[in-house]
Amino acid sequence: MIGIVVVSHSSKVAEGICDMVQQISSRDGEKLPIYPAGGNAQGGLGTDPQRVLEAIKKADQGEGVVVLADLGSAVISSQAAISMLDEPLRSRVKIADAPVLEGAIGAGVEAASDDVSSLDLVVSTAEGSRQLHKK
């Protein structure tokens, strides 16, 4: 199954999104490998590449990991974490250019939908959430 990492400047935001996606995307009692990477190393607001790195390693089930980030420096921390990975895992991790909540929900539902979902399809589904209009 494709794993997901939610990177946010707030640990509570990252954890809440992961909890929501987990509840929406559970399938036959199987839990989606989704992990939060929120806050800085001191527990305050910010991001930490080491936390992102650890979350990616936990989320990896061998089929790849999609990373969703809330703001620019979360993307930078995610890129730094990915650069610290060894191959072949590094090539199986992609950052989705998507809104973090809507993208995580789309990615989670797609990843849990069936056993033939691919990393590219999960990223594409997450990125498709940019087109969701709310009025």
Side-chain angles (χ1 to χ4, degrees):
M1 185 179 289
I2 307 297
I4 299 171
V5 172
V6 176
V7 183
S8 174
H9 284 70
S10 165
S11 60
K12 289 181 180 180
V13 168
E15 291 164 8
I17 290 172
C18 288
D19 181 56
M20 184 176 179
V21 173
Q22 189 71 258
Q23 290 182 49
I24 291 170
S25 63
S26 65
R27 179 183 75 175
D28 301 327
E30 186 178 358
K31 290 196 170 205
L32 180 71
I34 182 168
Y35 292 91
N40 64 22
Q42 295 75 36
L45 288 178
T47 59
D48 179 10
Q50 190 62 39
R51 286 183 180 207
V52 178
L53 179 70
E54 291 167 9
I56 290 170
K57 289 179 178 179
K58 287 180 189 174
D60 180 48
Q61 306 292 304
E63 296 179 47
V65 177
V66 176
V67 177
L68 291 117
D70 64 357
L71 299 169
S73 59
V75 174
I76 294 168
S77 289
S78 299
Q79 291 168 333
I82 292 168
S83 73
M84 291 186 267
L85 292 168
D86 292 327
E87 288 296 350
L89 177 54
R90 183 184 312 143
S91 63
R92 293 192 317 261
V93 179
K94 294 189 177 186
I95 299 172
D97 183 12
V100 67
L101 175 59
E102 293 91 337
I105 290 171
V109 170
E110 178 59 41
S113 66
D114 57 45
D115 293 330
V116 296
S117 192
S118 68
L119 180 60
D120 289 336
L121 185 55
V122 174
V123 169
S124 177
T125 302
E127 291 178 347
S129 69
R130 290 190 312 249
Q131 304 305 316
L132 297 173
H133 299 284
K134 297 181 182 178
K135 67 174 200 169

